[in-house]
Amino acid sequence: YYVNQLAYKEKMTLIGEMVNTIIHDFRSPFTGIQLSSSMLKELHPDQESQEWCDLISMQVQRMLNMAEEVLAFSQGNTKLYCQLIDIAKLLQNFAKLNQVYIDFSSVELIVSVEEGLIINADENKINRVLQNLLSNAVEALDKSEGKIEIRARRKDRLVEITFSDNGPGIPQEIQDKLFEAFVSYGKQGGIGLGTAIVKTIIDAHNGKIFFESSPSTGTTFYLHFPLAKID
């Protein structure tokens, strides 16, 4: 046990140092991309160009946020910057940001959301949860018939978000340890931090995550968050 813990700490330290270097080295070119996007936005005032420029800026910021999230995870830091979030708007924006990725991957994405679902959460971190689950699903799917469904509804005093795919399912031998660091499935070259980060973020929000998976039906993740109390 002691040896395993020592190896785990060494891996996390190495990942933290690596990601810190990446963030430092990438910040300058990312800033250049955002400045170029702003200049293009000024030169092309038509709506379509404006939307594409906004998308570029948002995606660059997302990449930085994702790298910083891995760094925070490696340091055991789960600090939240919470605000009231409308789940319908969150999922609509998430689908829009990933439309090019979904089209390129040749899978179908379906989003269905009840109106009026509000949670108190860190929007960047919730987006990271969704992105990790989406990336895992896309990489595990048969691209010719792949389908992903994201649904959100009220369940008692909770918001339940389900994230389903029709892929081959999660191997039985790793299901019990799926949310541990360095456990991976269905991905080429993955290091196994995605679902561990997901679990850490949801725990920090006093939420819950669990899943059902089989080779015949695919995988469904269930995410539960407390409904926000609005006066």
Side-chain angles (χ1 to χ4, degrees):
Y1 173 79
Y2 175 76
V3 173
N4 288 339
Q5 285 295 101
L6 185 61
Y8 174 85
K9 288 181 180 179
E10 288 178 349
K11 285 182 180 179
M12 296 305 288
T13 299
L14 182 61
I15 287 171
E17 292 173 353
M18 179 182 67
V19 174
N20 200 25
T21 300
I22 290 172
I23 292 173
H24 179 269
D25 291 347
F26 279 21
R27 198 174 293 278
S28 179
F30 280 175
T31 300
I33 293 171
Q34 287 183 316
L35 287 173
S36 298
S37 175
S38 297
M39 291 175 65
L40 285 170
K41 193 173 180 180
E42 291 180 7
L43 292 171
H44 300 278
D46 61 283
Q47 184 176 350
E48 184 178 5
S49 296
Q50 296 282 305
E51 289 178 355
W52 279 109
C53 289
D54 287 340
L55 183 62
I56 291 169
S57 294
M58 286 188 288
Q59 295 288 31
V60 168
Q61 188 58 50
R62 283 179 73 205
M63 285 189 283
L64 276 174
N65 290 342
M66 290 168 71
E68 288 171 352
E69 190 61 50
V70 175
L71 178 62
F73 177 77
S74 71
Q75 297 171 339
N77 179 8
T78 54
K79 188 173 182 179
L80 302 178
Y81 298 93
C82 292
Q83 59 183 328
L84 294 178
I85 297 174
D86 185 319
I87 294 297
K89 291 181 180 178
L90 176 78
L91 292 180
Q92 287 166 6
N93 288 336
F94 177 76
K96 182 178 179 180
L97 285 171
N98 281 282
Q99 192 59 57
V100 174
Y101 173 52
I102 290 296
D103 291 344
F104 179 78
S105 302
S106 300
V107 300
E108 181 183 3
L109 176 64
I110 299 170
V111 178
S112 175
V113 191
E114 285 184 13
E115 294 294 329
L117 301 178
I118 308 294
I119 63 173
N120 190 34
D122 185 319
E123 186 169 356
N124 286 333
K125 285 184 166 54
I126 299 301
N127 272 315
R128 181 60 196 269
V129 166
L130 297 173
Q131 194 65 53
N132 282 4
L133 294 177
L134 179 68
S135 298
N136 285 348
V138 167
E139 293 197 33
L141 282 172
D142 178 345
K143 302 302 187 290
S144 62
E145 299 178 352
K147 183 168 71 173
I148 298 168
E149 296 185 52
I150 306 174
R151 302 186 183 277
R153 63 172 183 146
R154 178 170 181 159
K155 187 174 183 181
D156 299 324
R157 296 182 180 179
L158 300 171
V159 171
E160 179 181 76
I161 301 174
T162 57
F163 206 108
S164 305
D165 68 62
N166 63 343
I170 299 168
Q172 187 68 41
E173 61 269 20
I174 68 167
Q175 288 191 14
D176 290 342
K177 52 185 179 181
L178 183 66
F179 296 117
E180 296 177 11
F182 309 113
V183 174
S184 183
Y185 74 97
K187 298 180 72 174
Q188 297 294 325
I191 61 174
L193 289 182
T195 49
I197 290 174
V198 164
K199 180 71 162 57
T200 300
I201 291 172
I202 291 177
D203 286 348
H205 284 87
N206 296 316
K208 291 183 179 179
I209 181 170
F210 55 97
F211 65 90
E212 297 173 347
S213 185
S214 75
S216 60
T217 60
T219 301
T220 297
F221 283 91
Y222 297 85
L223 286 61
H224 288 174
F225 298 97
L227 269 169
K229 296 179 180 178
I230 303 175
D231 297 329

